[in-house]
Amino acid sequence: MTSVSAPPLLTGERAVVVLFIACIMFSLPPSLLLPGGFLSFLSFFALCVEIRGESSGSLSQLKTRPGASSGILLGAVTLPALMLSKLIQLSRALSLDEIHLGEVDYLQMQYWAASISCFAVLIFLSLVILAAQSSRSASCRVQCAKFIFGCIVLVAALYNISTTGMQTATNLLWVLFHGLATVKLMQHLLETFPSCASIGETLLVTAGLVLYFGDISACTIAKIHGYWSSSELAFVQYGTRKNEISTVIQGLLLGLLLFPVAFKFLLHTLDSLPSVTSSGTRMQNERRRSLIFFVSFGLVMIVVMPLWMQFVQDFQTHPLLWVAAFVFSEPAKRLSLCTYWVCLIYVSVRRFYYISKNSKTERILLRKYYHLMAVSMFVPAVIFQPKFLDLAFGAALAVFLTLEIIRIWRIWPLGQLVHQFMNAFTDHRDSELLIVSHFSLLLGCALPIWLSSGYNDRPLAPFAGILSLGIGDTMASMVGHKYGVLRWSKTGKKTIEGTAAGITSVLAACSVLLPVLASAGYIFTQHWLYLFLAVTVSGLLEAYTAQLDNAFIPLVFYSLLCL
C-alpha cells in the first residue's frame, strides 16, 4: 500500500508572503501597532487554515481552479496589507500637516473593513473544513467553536480600541456587514463560475468588490442622509469627498456589474410569458433577446447610472457631456494621446492575432508582448496626463466588462465573434466560462495609479503595475523560457535565471525612470534599500506563486513601495 506524502508546511509562496508581512511590520509607526497586530494575527490564522485545508483536502468541494494551490494566505493578507501600507504613508503626511486627520480615520475604517472581510471568509473556510471532518469528537468541535467565538470577540475589541472617539457601534456594524457580504458573494461566485479561480483569487476579488461597493453605498447614504439631517454619519463623512472622475468610474462599473442581474431578471420575466416563448424561430428569439439586451443596456448606462452620478456628485451637466468637455479641455494633448493608443492597439492586436493563428510561438510568450505594449501605452500618460489616464482606465475596463458580458451571454451578432477572438489569447488560468487574464492585466496597471490619486510621496508607486507586469514579469518569462536552466522547484516551470532577469530589469527601469520623474518635478524620497527589497519580494512572488500573478504582484509591489 503506497503512502501519500503530506504537503510541505513551508512553501516558497508562504515564505515570500511572510517576508512581505515582515517588511510592513518593520515599517509600522507606534500609532498603527494595533492594526499591525491584527494583520499578524490574520496572517497566522490564514496560514493555519491554508495548511489544514490543503493537507486534508476538505476544500475541494468549493470547485476551485484545477492545478492551482488554494492561495488562502496570499489572498487573505494582500488587501489588508495594502490598506495598512497606505495608512503608513498617510501617517507620514499627517505628521507633516499635509492631510486632514479625517482622511486617516476613514482609511483606517477601510482597513478594518478589508481585514474583517478576509477574517470572515477564513471563519467560513474553517467551518467548511470542520463540516467535512464529521469524525471529529463533540468536545473538539466545541473547542473549535469557542476559538472562533473568541476570535470574533478579539476583532471587536481591537476595533473598538483603535477607533476611540468615533461612533464605534455604527462603524462596527458597518465593517461586520462587509464581512457577511464578502462571504455570501464568495459563495455565489464559486457556484456561478466553478473551476475558474482559486480560493485566494476569489477572496481577493470579493473583498475588493465589497470594499469598493461599500464605498459607493457610503456616498449614496451620505447624500440621502444629507436631505434629512445636517449632521454627518461617522462612517461616510470622510469617504464622500470624491472628484468627478472617480464618480464617473464608479458609476460605470456599478452599472456594468449590476446590469447582468437586471438583464437575467428581465429575461426570466419575459420567458414566463406564453405569448413570447411560443412564437418565433430560434434566430428570431436570438434577435429579440439581442434587441432587449442593447436597449436595456443603453437605458442603464445612458440614463440610470448618470442620474446616480449627478445625485452623488452634483454635476452641472450630464456626466457623459462632462467627460467630453474634460477630454476637449486639452485637445492637443489628450486627443493625440488617444490617437496614439488606438493606432498602437490596432497594429498590435492585428499582428498578435495573426501570429496566434499561424505561428508555433507559445501563447504565454505571445501574451507577454501585451505586457510590453502596456508599458509603451501607459508610461507617458502617467507622467504627463495622470488624470486623463485615470478616466481612460475606467473607460477601458468598462469596454472589457461589456465585451465579456456579450461573450458570456452570447448576444447576437457579436457574442460568438468576441468569444472566438478572446480565445486566441487565453491560457491555462482562463476557462470557457470566464476569461480573466485581460482584466487582471488592466487592473494590475490601473489600481496602483488609482490608489495614488490622493496624497503620494512615493513617485514610483503609481508605476508598480507597469513595472512589475510590463517589464519584470515579461523579462522573467522570456529569459526563463529561452535561457532558464535552474528551476526553483522540481515541479514548477519558473527558473532562477528568469527571476534574476525580472528583478534586474525592474531595477534598471527604475534607474531610468527616476531622472525622468525628477525632470517633471517629482522628488524621490525613498531609500534605495527599500526599493531593492520591494523589487526582490515581488520578483520572488512571481517565481513561487501559483495564483494569478497579474492580480497579486502589482498590489504587493505597490504596498512595499508605499513604505
Side-chain angles (χ1 to χ4, degrees):
M1 183 175 179
T2 61
S3 60
V4 180
S5 59
L9 296 181
L10 183 63
T11 62
E13 181 180 300
R14 293 170 186 167
V16 174
V17 174
V18 170
L19 179 60
F20 167 54
I21 298 300
C23 293
I24 296 178
M25 294 296 106
F26 181 77
S27 304
L28 281 177
S31 59
L32 296 176
L33 289 180
L34 274 178
F38 183 73
L39 179 61
S40 300
F41 167 75
L42 184 70
S43 304
F44 177 75
F45 188 21
L47 178 62
C48 294
V49 173
E50 178 175 294
I51 293 174
R52 187 60 182 171
E54 291 185 354
S55 61
S56 63
S58 305
L59 299 176
S60 58
Q61 57 183 298
L62 295 179
K63 299 179 181 179
T64 58
R65 177 160 56 87
S69 59
S70 65
I72 295 174
L73 174 60
L74 181 60
V77 303
T78 298
L79 194 56
L82 171 65
M83 292 296 171
L84 189 56
S85 297
K86 290 293 294 182
L87 278 172
I88 294 173
Q89 186 180 45
L90 290 189
S91 66
R92 294 194 299 266
L94 186 63
S95 64
L96 299 174
D97 293 327
E98 296 189 19
I99 61 171
H100 193 272
L101 178 61
E103 296 182 43
V104 179
D105 289 339
Y106 184 76
L107 185 61
Q108 189 168 359
M109 195 186 66
Q110 294 287 81
Y111 163 78
W112 283 107
S115 298
I116 291 179
S117 296
C118 297
F119 180 73
V121 171
L122 293 178
I123 292 180
F124 164 71
L125 296 176
S126 301
L127 294 177
V128 171
I129 295 173
L130 289 176
Q133 299 171 345
S134 57
S135 60
R136 280 183 172 272
S137 62
S139 60
C140 184
R141 292 180 184 177
V142 170
Q143 292 295 328
C144 292
K146 288 181 178 179
F147 172 74
I148 293 174
F149 179 76
C151 291
I152 296 175
V153 173
L154 175 63
V155 170
L158 286 175
Y159 181 79
N160 289 339
I161 294 173
S162 65
T163 58
T164 302
M166 301 172 65
Q167 296 181 12
T168 307
T170 305
N171 294 339
L172 182 59
L173 288 176
W174 181 252
V175 296
L176 289 177
F177 170 78
H178 281 71
L180 178 62
T182 303
V183 172
K184 299 301 291 184
L185 181 59
M186 183 173 181
Q187 290 178 288
H188 176 73
L189 290 181
L190 288 174
E191 292 173 359
T192 306
F193 302 105
S195 304
C196 290
S198 68
I199 296 177
E201 293 162 359
T202 310
L203 173 54
L204 179 66
V205 171
T206 52
L209 285 176
V210 169
L211 192 66
Y212 190 70
F213 284 112
D215 188 62
I216 294 176
S217 301
C219 296
T220 309
I221 293 172
K223 272 291 184 179
I224 295 174
H225 184 265
Y227 285 107
W228 297 96
S229 174
S230 59
S231 62
E232 291 184 305
L233 296 176
F235 68 92
V236 297
Q237 59 182 328
Y238 301 115
T240 57
R241 299 168 185 172
K242 301 182 182 300
N243 57 35
E244 290 85 353
I245 293 177
S246 62
T247 302
V248 169
I249 294 174
Q250 283 188 335
L252 286 175
L253 299 186
L254 177 64
L256 286 169
L257 291 175
L258 295 182
F259 173 76
V261 179
F263 182 62
K264 183 178 181 180
F265 174 78
L266 181 60
L267 287 181
H268 179 74
T269 303
L270 293 176
D271 290 340
S272 63
L273 300 177
S275 60
V276 176
T277 55
S278 60
S279 62
T281 62
R282 180 178 178 274
M283 179 56 67
Q284 289 175 335
N285 290 331
E286 286 292 324
R287 292 178 178 178
R288 185 187 301 117
R289 182 167 169 263
S290 175
L291 179 62
I292 294 172
F293 174 87
F294 287 110
V295 170
S296 58
F297 182 83
L299 181 65
V300 169
M301 302 308 297
I302 299 177
V303 179
V304 177
M305 295 319 302
L307 286 175
W308 176 84
M309 298 177 200
Q310 289 182 305
F311 176 72
V312 299
Q313 187 63 40
D314 296 326
F315 283 93
Q316 299 301 317
T317 182
H318 192 283
L320 297 183
L321 296 178
W322 182 93
V323 170
F326 175 78
V327 174
F328 284 96
S329 62
E330 296 183 26
K333 296 180 180 179
R334 291 169 182 171
L335 291 181
S336 60
L337 189 60
C338 290
T339 304
Y340 167 68
W341 286 342
V342 170
C343 294
L344 184 61
I345 291 173
Y346 174 77
V347 172
S348 301
V349 170
R350 185 174 181 178
R351 175 63 178 168
F352 297 154
Y353 184 75
Y354 174 81
I355 293 176
S356 68
K357 292 296 185 181
N358 301 280
S359 174
K360 296 182 180 180
T361 304
E362 288 197 23
R363 188 165 293 186
I364 185 64
L365 293 180
L366 184 64
R367 287 156 51 87
K368 298 306 176 183
Y369 289 112
Y370 281 98
H371 291 214
L372 292 176
M373 186 181 73
V375 176
S376 60
M377 286 180 62
F378 301 142
V379 168
V382 176
I383 298 175
F384 301 109
Q385 284 288 323
K387 291 184 179 180
F388 180 63
L389 183 60
D390 288 346
L391 184 62
F393 272 131
L397 185 58
V399 171
F400 279 2
L401 283 171
T402 302
L403 292 177
E404 187 67 7
I405 292 171
I406 291 174
R407 188 194 69 84
I408 292 175
W409 287 91
R410 294 295 197 275
I411 301 300
W412 180 88
L414 301 176
Q416 188 61 31
L417 294 176
V418 173
H419 177 72
Q420 293 175 354
F421 178 80
M422 296 302 298
N423 269 345
F425 305 102
T426 57
D427 65 3
H428 65 282
R429 291 168 296 192
D430 294 310
S431 67
E432 289 287 323
L433 191 59
L434 188 65
I435 299 177
V436 298
S437 296
H438 53 298
F439 286 107
S440 62
L441 175 60
L442 180 66
L443 285 174
C445 295
L447 284 175
I449 297 173
W450 285 342
L451 290 169
S452 303
S453 58
Y455 174 82
N456 179 41
D457 60 346
R458 298 291 189 253
L460 287 176
F463 297 89
I466 300 172
L467 290 172
S468 60
L469 298 180
I471 296 178
D473 186 36
T474 302
M475 294 303 298
S477 295
M478 291 183 172
V479 173
H481 177 78
K482 191 169 184 178
Y483 303 105
V485 176
L486 304 174
R487 301 189 182 275
W488 285 104
S489 63
K490 296 180 179 179
T491 58
K493 297 181 179 180
K494 304 294 179 66
T495 64
I496 297 178
E497 293 88 349
T499 302
I503 294 174
T504 305
S505 62
V506 173
L507 289 173
C510 291
S511 64
V512 173
L513 190 59
L514 284 174
V516 178
L517 292 173
S519 64
Y522 296 93
I523 301 175
F524 182 67
T525 58
Q526 195 172 30
H527 195 279
W528 273 96
L529 180 61
Y530 281 95
L531 176 59
F532 177 79
L533 188 62
V535 174
T536 302
V537 171
S538 60
L540 290 175
L541 182 63
E542 189 276 334
Y544 279 116
T545 186
Q547 307 303 305
L548 189 61
D549 49 4
N550 289 359
F552 287 99
I553 293 176
L555 298 181
V556 170
F557 190 32
Y558 177 83
S559 302
L560 294 173
L561 287 177
C562 288
L563 300 180

